[in-house]
């Protein structure tokens, strides 16, 4: 089953209706189904009316209890994964205001205790200097002044020692010069400084590091409950536990090959000196 962005909103209703219809075909009441799959009757009711989006594990338990054929189980499980995914395209973000996106990110960061960022192409706003932030938004066809201010405000959370942050940056991300060389020196120095905070781990994946999987896209994992993925045209949000676990597995694989601590800072120093040579 392909992931069609236009399908995501409808998929939740489709899933609810499908599970309700399958229960009726099996001749089971909501209460009997609930007992078979060790759920409450109220949860079954909320799932079937669309008030609750079930996880893939919940759906598998229900389908197993209904004894559906294997091919149908696979199809409906795929629908459940789509129902646990959200899509927002860039044009929608521009229309409602990029600053509102910053408010959403601040809420996600406030609710999480452990945050992991994989950055294959650019430096994220939490780590960026004001000049880098402004340059990263230069392509946006809307006014970005409020967005810049909110991005910089969000950086205060880095000093909350009740939270832990791990940032993995490729050499490409560190060296992608969207600002002049002199400003890149300041940006790289900021990375080195932040890497010394007690609640921040900053890892570097150097070019030439043997990796079995290529760095396809930027993603962030909040605790073990939610993963967001950035693309050129929009953003995907994964809430299904299996999707989140897969992103965590990929993150751990990259982290095992990254430079940290003094080794990472030595590499950042090399990068800063190379930018110094350019101006």
């Amino acid at each position: 089953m392909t992931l069609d962005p236009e399908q995501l909103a409808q998929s939740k209703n489709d899933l609810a209706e499908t599970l309700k219809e399958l229960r009726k075909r099996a001749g089971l009441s909501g209460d009997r189904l609930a007992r078979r799959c060790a759920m409450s009757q109220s949860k079954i009711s909320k799932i079937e009316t669309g008030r609750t989006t079930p996880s893939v594990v919940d759906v598998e338990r229900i389908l197993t209890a209904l004894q559906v054929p294997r091919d149908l189980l696979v199809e409906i499980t795929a629908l459940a994964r789509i129902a646990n995914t959200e899509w927002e395209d860039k044009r929608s973000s521009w229309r409602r205001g990029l600053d509102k996106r910053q408010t959403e990110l601040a809420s996600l960061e406030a609710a999480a205790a452990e945050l992991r960022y994989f950055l294959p192409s650019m430096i994220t706003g939490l780590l960026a200097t004001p000049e880098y932030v402004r340059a990263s938004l230069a392509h946006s066809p809307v006014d970005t002044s409020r967005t810049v201010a909110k991005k910089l405000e969000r950086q205060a959370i880095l000093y909350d020692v009740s939270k832990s942050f791990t940032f993995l940056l490729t050499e490409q991300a560190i060296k992608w010069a969207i600002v002049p060389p002199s400003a890149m020196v300041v940006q790289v120095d900021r990375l080195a400084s932040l890497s010394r905070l007690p609640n921040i781990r900053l890892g570097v994946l150097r070019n030439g590091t043997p990796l079995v999987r290529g760095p396809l896209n930027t993603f962030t994992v909040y605790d073990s409950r939610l993963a967001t993925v950035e693309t050129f045209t929009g953003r995907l949000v994964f809430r299904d536990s299996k999707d989140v676990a897969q992103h965590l597995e990929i993150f751990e694989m990259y982290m095992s090959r990254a430079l940290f601590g003094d080794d990472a800072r030595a590499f950042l120093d090399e990068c800063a000196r190379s930018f110094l040579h350019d101006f």
Side-chain angles (χ1 to χ4, degrees):
M1 185 176 293
T2 58
L3 184 63
D4 179 357
E6 294 181 359
Q7 187 182 10
L8 296 181
Q10 183 60 37
S11 63
K12 295 184 180 183
N13 292 329
D14 290 345
L15 179 62
E17 292 173 5
T18 299
L19 292 174
K20 183 177 181 179
E21 180 62 25
L22 287 171
R23 175 182 61 77
K24 288 182 174 180
R25 285 186 197 174
L28 294 177
S29 66
D31 185 58
R32 284 186 65 194
L33 175 60
R35 289 199 298 271
R36 281 195 180 186
C37 54
M39 292 183 187
S40 67
Q41 191 277 330
S42 63
K43 182 172 182 177
I44 294 292
S45 176
K46 288 177 181 177
I47 288 172
E48 292 185 352
T49 55
R51 287 177 290 166
T52 293
T53 301
S55 68
V56 172
V57 172
D58 287 338
V59 171
E60 288 175 343
R61 288 166 63 188
I62 291 171
L63 296 176
T64 300
L66 294 173
Q67 298 181 325
V68 302
R70 175 65 183 171
D71 58 343
L72 187 57
L73 185 147
V74 171
E75 181 180 345
I76 297 174
T77 301
L79 180 63
R81 295 190 75 175
I82 293 175
N84 279 276
T85 304
E86 295 176 11
W87 165 263
E88 183 180 46
D89 62 85
K90 283 286 177 63
R91 293 183 298 279
S92 296
S93 294
W94 291 334
R95 283 194 297 270
R96 70 190 184 93
L98 293 177
D99 57 307
K100 292 182 174 60
R101 168 69 177 139
Q102 297 306 307
T103 301
E104 292 170 358
L105 287 172
S107 296
L108 287 173
E109 291 155 0
E114 186 170 4
L115 302 96
R116 303 169 180 87
Y117 301 80
F118 180 62
L119 307 165
S121 55
M122 288 180 63
I123 296 167
T124 186
L126 284 179
L127 303 176
T129 63
E131 188 169 355
Y132 193 101
V133 169
R134 284 190 290 270
S136 70
L137 294 169
H139 67 283
S140 302
V142 294
D143 177 50
T144 60
S145 54
R146 291 177 61 186
T147 305
V148 170
K150 288 198 171 186
K151 271 183 174 280
L152 296 176
E153 285 175 13
R154 281 175 48 222
Q155 294 178 355
I157 202 164
L158 295 175
Y159 302 93
D160 182 349
V161 294
S162 69
K163 300 179 182 296
S164 66
F165 299 84
T166 304
F167 298 93
L168 292 181
L169 298 93
T170 65
E171 183 171 337
Q172 154 83 7
I174 295 166
K175 291 183 174 180
W176 193 263
I178 67 169
V179 292
S182 58
M184 285 303 298
V185 173
V186 177
Q187 175 60 76
V188 173
D189 284 346
R190 173 171 168 76
L191 295 178
S193 296
L194 290 173
S195 74
R196 296 183 181 278
L197 292 178
N199 59 328
I200 290 180
R201 296 190 71 198
L202 191 146
V204 175
L205 284 163
R206 298 201 60 168
N207 290 343
T209 301
L211 294 167
V212 296
R213 299 192 68 168
L216 296 180
N217 46 252
T218 297
F219 67 83
T220 305
V221 183
Y222 299 88
D223 295 322
S224 299
R225 59 184 176 81
L226 183 148
T228 63
V229 174
E230 303 288 338
T231 72
F232 273 118
T233 55
R235 176 177 65 101
L236 286 160
V237 179
F238 295 99
R239 287 187 169 82
D240 179 68
S241 59
K242 291 184 179 179
D243 290 322
V244 176
Q246 189 169 12
H247 280 87
L248 284 172
E249 180 182 333
I250 294 168
F251 191 89
E252 292 293 329
M253 182 271 291
Y254 286 134
M255 192 167 69
S256 70
R257 300 300 183 94
L259 303 176
F260 285 95
D262 290 339
D263 291 335
R265 285 186 286 272
F267 176 73
L268 291 172
D269 185 59
E270 289 178 22
C271 293
R273 284 189 276 110
S274 69
F275 283 121
L276 281 169
H277 184 267
D278 291 338
F279 74 93

